[in-house]
Amino acid sequence: MPKKIFSQVGEKEVTRAIVQEFSKQFLEYVESDCIIIGGGPSGLMAGKELAKEGHKVLIVERNNYLGGGFWIGGYLMNKITVREPAQEVLIELGVPFVKAVDGLYVADGPHACSKLIAAACDAGVKFANMSIFDDVVLREENRVAGAVINWTPIKALPREITCVDPVALEAKLLIDATGHDACVVKVLEERGLIKTKGFGAMWVERSEDLLVEHTGVAHPGLIVIGMAVSTTYGLPRMGPTFGGMLLSGIRGAEVAKKLLASD
């Protein structure tokens, strides 16, 4: 008999552990201070900043991974760039970087992304992976008060085979961090509650400043951050530089903290 290395735990204990801990977290986060739709760099940054202040934050991410395009930078080359002063975020996260030219810095995408994810987890952010945003919860005067979600694979099932109703989560605030898709904003637009302009052509020198400047409340109960800001307000689209998204996440968290404090 080979010497046993691992403890005597079987399949039923493994399954019970997974179901028990998932259910416990899901029940707890059916109601949150803030639900962030989208686990890219802006969403992760906003979640980290809110959670470290003690706020209950859930990030809903449609993929089985977090970080969005932050892993691979531009054109499938895994270097990410940030313009000054966003290198201060890299320093805070402990991400090594080099100077390309004055005011422009380069870091490894996998290193930067994994550090940001870890920082969000360490701050206390919880995640619902493989979960897709389906709709909003509205209350008096059409204030956004939560998100309707479903499992991502459900979307791949032919409509004629099955219909699986989604579930709803309540929150004091919702943050749209879904990139140029602006999924939450688009749902409000379908109901005639908001009008988007669609993102403009790429112009890095202008897009990042405008992105941070326009980050904030787009509708009662809804804050827009990251590339979703460009789509909402018709700003130049983001290029392969990530400082704007990181600082937009910080700005969005600042706005959320003020609203939560006054709630």
Side-chain angles (χ1 to χ4, degrees):
M1 288 286 289
K3 183 180 178 182
K4 282 192 172 297
I5 299 174
F6 296 101
S7 59
Q8 291 266 7
V9 174
E11 282 78 5
K12 60 181 182 297
E13 287 84 8
V14 171
T15 302
R16 282 174 183 153
I18 293 171
V19 174
Q20 180 175 301
E21 290 306 309
F22 175 84
S23 301
K24 180 181 172 184
Q25 179 178 300
F26 198 80
L27 284 171
E28 184 180 352
Y29 281 79
V30 161
E31 184 179 14
S32 304
D33 291 329
C34 182
I35 295 175
I36 299 172
I37 309 298
S42 65
L44 289 168
M45 181 59 71
K48 177 183 82 70
E49 293 296 306
L50 284 167
K52 77 178 185 182
E53 298 291 329
H55 295 297
K56 191 174 171 184
V57 181
L58 178 71
I59 292 182
V60 175
E61 169 54 49
R62 66 183 176 182
N63 285 304
N64 64 343
Y65 63 90
L66 303 165
F70 207 40
W71 289 106
I72 54 175
Y75 203 59
L76 293 179
M77 295 180 283
N78 65 356
K79 303 295 180 185
I80 61 115
T81 62
V82 300
R83 294 191 301 149
E84 194 173 346
Q87 84 280 5
E88 293 173 6
V89 176
L90 300 182
I91 293 171
E92 178 195 338
L93 295 172
V95 178
F97 60 87
V98 297
K99 177 179 172 181
V101 296
D102 285 346
L104 181 66
Y105 304 89
V106 185
D108 286 329
H111 202 161
C113 195
S114 55
K115 283 279 192 179
L116 179 54
I117 293 169
C121 292
D122 290 345
V125 177
K126 300 301 181 187
F127 300 91
N129 286 82
M130 292 298 287
S131 298
I132 194 163
F133 169 79
D134 190 72
D135 205 347
V136 290
V137 174
L138 296 178
R139 291 290 185 262
E140 295 81 5
E141 299 179 350
N142 290 319
R143 177 180 60 84
V144 174
V148 180
I149 65 170
N150 213 332
W151 298 117
T152 299
I154 294 296
K155 289 288 185 182
L157 295 175
R159 199 70 171 172
E160 61 271 22
I161 290 179
T162 184
C163 175
V164 179
D165 282 329
V167 295
L169 309 175
E170 292 188 28
K172 296 171 184 172
L173 288 173
L174 210 63
I175 293 181
D176 188 340
T178 60
H180 285 311
D181 291 341
C183 295
V184 184
V185 174
K186 290 288 187 182
V187 162
L188 291 179
E189 186 172 37
E190 290 171 5
R191 290 191 165 79
L193 298 175
I194 197 170
K195 179 66 177 174
T196 66
K197 294 183 178 178
F199 59 83
M202 190 181 293
W203 190 351
V204 170
E205 288 177 313
R206 295 196 64 181
S207 61
E208 291 201 290
D209 292 273
L210 289 169
L211 181 77
V212 177
E213 180 185 331
H214 284 75
T215 293
V217 176
H219 183 83
L222 175 66
I223 294 170
V224 180
I225 66 174
M227 294 183 292
V229 176
S230 304
T231 300
T232 302
Y233 298 108
L235 308 179
R237 66 176 297 161
M238 298 298 299
T241 184
F242 291 82
M245 283 174 265
L246 297 173
L247 297 192
S248 176
I250 294 174
R251 173 70 66 88
E254 290 171 352
V255 174
K257 281 186 272 187
K258 288 180 181 175
L259 291 172
L260 290 170
S262 63
D263 189 36

